[in-house]
Amino acid sequence: MSIAAISFFFVCGAVAIASALITVTQNNPIRAAFSLLAHIIALAGLFIGLQGHFLAVIQLIIYAGVVVVLFIFTIMYIGPVPKPESAGRPSFAKLFSIAGMVVVTGAVTYAALGYSPALKGLNTCPEAVAECGQFGGVEAFSAALFRGGVVPFELISILLTVAVVGAIMVARGRLIYREKPRRKKQELSIENNR
Amino acid sequence: MSPWLALSPLLVVGIGSLTVMMVDAFSNKKDDLSILSSAILIAAAAIAGSLWFGGLPPQTPEILAPYLAVDAMSQFFNITICGGAALCAMLAGGYLREHDLERGDFYSMLMLCAFGAMVLSSATDLVSVFIGLETMSLGVYCLVAFRRGSARAIEGAIKYFLLGSFAAAILLFGSALLYGATGHTDLLGIGQTIRNGNAELGLALVAMSMLVVGLAFKVSAVPFHMWTPDAYEGAITPATAFMSVVVKAAAFAVMLRVLITCFGDPLSAGAASGWPPIIAVVAVVTMIYGNIAAIYQSNIKRMLAYSSIAHAGYILIGVVAAFRVQNTAVSAVLYYLMAYTVSNVLAFGSLIVMGTRGKEAVTFDDLAGAGKRHPMAALPFIIGMLSLMGFPPTAGFFGKYYVFNAALQADSGMHWLVIIAVIASAIGAFYYLRVIVYLFMKDPETGAPQAVAMKSGYVVTALVLSAYFVLEMGITPSNYLKMALAAAAGLV
């Protein structure tokens, strides 16, 4: 790996960790959402470092573009009320989350060390092989999606149709029910019968 | 064979459901949609039949190969699912009009659900298993919530949706672990990797139990049955019939495929290791609980819900037996599913025909004396109950007979399973016969609500068709058993 790639990795990694910490420690939800955005962009940078260009773009579009906007929209909708700083001893929730953080960090580190490629002899992709550069790229991804996996891809379109039609069906049922109050009587008589 | 031809039953149902949606949008006559959708479904069943008897390709077309099977078993289930869905669409044609619930989206949703069930029953890859399962389940949740004004319907739908989502998540987690353990998502590849000893066995066993949990939920086996009575009671009766028939058939199809293809090796399919003991215990608990709980129900739909739980238990015995005598047991399960489809459509159809708007048969008391007032409407009820009970010469009798026979052939250790099943079906006779007793031997109390039979050509057609098949499968079972055997032979 070149010096530039290594420094890119470290910059992105530092930004990702720092912004993740800010996200969970901020009291102001808007600031937390924006540091989440910074974290997501840094993660996309890490994906680029791993040759996952397509994943990086998707990460930006879906998470930065959609999910964060949705979060901010929801926060605005509820009203950004910063929680007052709690004085005195730290709450149970805080202690619990710090303990959880330590446990997860320990577990991940242990797993990463225990299952490192060098130790387990897993097949990693050497950079000299042409397909390895392709892996995670747009071309490789679309070939997998539209050539090998075209059947599940098309089946998912029916799944999405079911979801949309079902949502409309359930929502429309309420409208119809409101328009016809006389059905209520019948419902009641059925309930009485029981 | 071109992939288009191989996929044609699926394509007909998929495009048909979109057609029904368009016709619903641009036409004012809603009751014709019942004929249209059942005609499309019957056409799909006929196409599946002609694909099967006209000679299936020796090899699945390359583009479909890892994801969907085009074998005899998938065509068998295409026929069962489309036939069951067509009968339910006919029942809906009468029911929706009578109860002033007529909306065209019911039919298109029914067909989309049937599409999901067809995908599920021919899925040979964990990816397509999950997509099929979700397509079917999402549609069924909406069918349960169809009567939006009723609190019971919404309660049932929410319960079913939440528990179903958990079950799907568990199934998905199991699939991910199985991929991690073997490096394959196609069932055949997973099975070969496990058999060759290249899989991480501990992880594969955990994945297996998660898959069993997810699938046991769909077939409503105890202890994953909690949603069943509420969802069955809340849904409108044609949707209940659909759930009990189509969803169950597809879930058992995928259960057979996953267990036999993935976990067919001697270690995970042994008499004392792997899935057969787990499923045997689940079967025993399911049979006993379903039958005993059904006795205490005063609501007929809830009684039928517990009866469907009990039947899941009987079918699970056949699934267990498949670890030793694969062909006999799988064909018995397939025969049972077909028999159960027609018997259950008959039972729910008779419940529909026994009610007009505001005068529905909801509890046993509503049925009191109805057989004397409407003898022709009570006749299918009797046949349906006798078949569910397993009384010769009906389809239900031979279903039970073949399943128990397969269990006896499989292993001497399975005798106790059959003994428990026979005792459980004797308990079951109590609540099935109770319906007939109420129909003919009780008189309604003065002032109590009485069920009045409806008149509907659609419902009568569905009843006549299903009663014909119930009796024919009971009088000449060999033809259908041959079909089931041929279908079972296709399963590797």
Side-chain angles (χ1 to χ4, degrees):
Chain A
M1 237 193 270
S2 64
I3 305 268
I6 289 174
S7 48
F8 181 70
F9 169 78
F10 276 109
V11 168
C12 285
V15 172
I17 292 173
S19 53
L21 278 177
I22 295 174
T23 308
V24 293
T25 51
Q26 264 297 329
N27 275 323
N28 187 331
I30 293 286
R31 281 189 201 160
F34 272 97
S35 48
L36 181 66
L37 184 64
H39 173 71
I40 286 166
I41 292 170
L43 267 191
L46 286 179
F47 287 147
I48 290 176
L50 292 170
Q51 306 294 324
H53 299 126
F54 185 76
L55 199 57
V57 173
I58 289 290
Q59 169 90 1
L60 285 180
I61 294 175
I62 305 280
Y63 284 93
V66 180
V67 175
V68 172
V69 169
L70 200 65
F71 274 143
I72 292 178
F73 186 75
T74 314
I75 294 166
M76 294 292 196
Y77 203 64
I78 299 168
V81 190
K83 227 173 59 183
E85 203 73 40
S86 60
R89 60 199 186 88
S91 66
F92 175 73
K94 227 173 223 174
L95 283 176
F96 190 75
S97 44
I98 288 172
M101 234 157 74
V102 171
V103 170
V104 170
T105 316
V108 171
T109 318
Y110 178 77
L113 290 179
Y115 279 88
S116 83
L119 286 178
K120 292 284 277 190
L122 286 177
N123 295 326
T124 49
C125 209
E127 279 179 30
V129 180
E131 283 83 21
C132 288
Q134 267 295 310
F135 182 79
V138 181
E139 261 178 59
F141 189 85
S142 52
L145 193 60
F146 295 110
R147 219 173 283 150
V150 69
V151 173
F153 180 77
E154 294 296 339
L155 289 177
I156 280 182
S157 63
I158 290 277
L159 176 57
L160 293 177
T161 314
V162 170
V164 172
V165 174
I168 294 173
M169 180 174 157
V170 173
R172 201 173 135 232
R174 190 167 61 177
L175 291 181
I176 292 176
Y177 180 62
R178 269 194 202 136
E179 280 164 15
K180 288 188 187 169
R182 72 194 172 101
R183 185 170 294 156
K184 195 162 188 176
K185 239 186 225 162
Q186 185 222 343
E187 280 300 331
L188 281 179
S189 75
I190 291 175
E191 308 279 305
N192 286 342
N193 279 352
R194 289 200 167 106
Chain B
M1 186 185 273
S2 85
W4 296 107
L5 189 60
L7 274 183
S8 48
L10 272 176
L11 289 174
V12 166
V13 174
I15 296 171
S17 69
L18 300 180
T19 315
V20 168
M21 212 184 294
M22 284 298 121
V23 173
D24 174 40
F26 292 105
S27 116
N28 290 324
K29 292 182 78 181
K30 301 289 183 223
D31 51 329
D32 291 352
L33 289 177
S34 167
I35 302 178
L36 180 64
S37 47
S38 45
I40 293 171
L41 285 164
I42 288 172
I47 291 171
S50 50
L51 267 183
W52 185 5
F53 299 118
L56 286 165
Q59 260 177 339
T60 313
E62 196 190 346
I63 197 162
L64 306 175
Y67 298 106
L68 294 175
V70 189
D71 54 8
M73 187 162 147
S74 65
Q75 303 311 329
F76 181 90
F77 274 103
N78 281 348
I79 294 171
T80 311
I81 288 169
C82 290
L87 290 173
C88 294
M90 286 180 207
L91 291 181
Y95 183 91
L96 295 185
R97 189 201 285 176
E98 178 66 39
H99 296 272
D100 197 19
L101 291 164
E102 203 132 63
R103 277 162 57 197
D105 40 8
F106 182 86
Y107 300 105
S108 49
M109 194 43 97
L110 190 90
M111 293 173 72
L112 286 170
C113 278
F115 181 92
M118 288 159 78
V119 171
L120 186 58
S121 63
S122 53
T124 50
D125 188 291
L126 292 173
V127 175
S128 43
V129 165
F130 187 70
I131 296 173
L133 187 81
E134 279 305 292
T135 310
M136 181 181 80
S137 308
L138 277 182
V140 174
Y141 305 145
C142 298
L143 287 183
V144 176
F146 180 73
R147 204 168 42 155
R148 183 63 203 270
S150 155
R152 276 173 205 273
I154 299 301
E155 185 200 346
I158 293 278
K159 268 187 189 166
Y160 191 15
F161 174 66
L162 288 179
L163 292 176
S165 312
F166 279 126
I170 291 173
L171 187 116
L172 196 57
F173 194 23
S175 314
L177 287 183
L178 200 52
Y179 176 60
T182 61
H184 286 275
T185 58
D186 59 311
L187 304 184
L188 213 58
I190 292 170
Q192 275 164 0
T193 314
I194 294 180
R195 206 162 284 150
N196 296 341
N198 294 332
E200 194 129 347
L201 211 60
L203 207 56
L205 281 179
V206 174
M208 182 188 79
S209 44
M210 285 180 150
L211 288 175
V212 168
V213 168
L215 295 174
F217 176 88
K218 281 293 157 206
V219 303
S220 64
V222 179
F224 313 105
H225 65 286
M226 299 299 178
W227 56 275
T228 318
D230 292 309
Y232 275 35
E233 190 190 0
I236 58 172
T237 315
T240 315
F242 181 82
M243 282 160 73
S244 69
V245 161
V246 169
V247 173
K248 195 156 274 189
F252 270 110
V254 75
M255 189 182 247
L256 286 174
R257 272 191 203 278
V258 167
L259 290 181
I260 291 174
T261 317
C262 283
F263 301 106
D265 59 303
L267 191 62
S268 22
S273 67
W275 54 267
I278 305 179
I279 306 255
V281 171
V282 171
V284 168
V285 179
T286 307
M287 285 183 304
I288 294 176
Y289 182 85
N291 276 313
I292 290 180
I295 291 178
Y296 291 101
Q297 303 306 318
S298 58
N299 183 310
I300 299 168
K301 260 160 112 180
R302 284 185 88 86
M303 181 276 276
L304 285 172
Y306 281 106
S307 126
S308 97
I309 294 176
H311 279 277
Y314 305 136
I315 304 174
L316 283 174
I317 295 180
V319 177
V320 180
F323 86 98
R324 205 42 79 65
V325 280
Q326 193 188 320
N327 261 9
T328 320
V330 172
S331 66
V333 169
L334 298 190
Y335 183 90
Y336 200 114
L337 285 171
M338 204 176 224
Y340 181 70
T341 299
V342 283
S343 320
N344 234 18
V345 167
L346 191 60
F348 281 106
S350 335
L351 192 60
I352 288 174
V353 91
M354 233 0 143
T356 40
R357 189 163 159 201
K359 288 175 179 161
E360 273 187 292
V362 178
T363 62
F364 280 102
D365 291 328
D366 299 347
L367 279 185
K372 287 181 205 157
R373 296 195 300 273
H374 309 286
M376 282 319 280
L379 184 66
F381 228 143
I382 299 172
I383 302 175
M385 286 301 140
L386 289 180
S387 177
L388 285 177
M389 193 173 96
F391 195 82
T394 53
F397 169 73
F398 281 102
K400 280 207 181 100
Y401 173 76
Y402 289 136
V403 165
F404 295 169
N405 187 31
L408 288 178
Q409 282 181 22
D411 195 281
S412 55
M414 283 179 74
H415 282 135
W416 58 275
L417 206 57
V418 177
I419 292 171
I420 293 176
V422 171
I423 294 172
S425 28
I427 299 173
F430 173 76
Y431 55 85
Y432 292 128
L433 289 177
R434 198 166 163 217
V435 171
I436 300 175
V437 167
Y438 267 87
L439 278 174
F440 288 101
M441 298 171 200
K442 291 245 177 181
D443 285 320
E445 289 174 26
T446 42
Q450 293 183 6
V452 177
M454 71 153 78
K455 288 188 175 60
S456 162
Y458 297 111
V459 179
V460 169
T461 315
L463 286 179
V464 168
L465 280 176
S466 48
Y468 169 75
F469 281 113
V470 164
L471 292 176
E472 205 205 336
M473 285 180 79
I475 292 166
T476 56
S478 57
N479 293 338
Y480 294 91
L481 189 68
K482 259 182 220 152
M483 237 172 104
L485 270 170
L491 189 67
V492 183

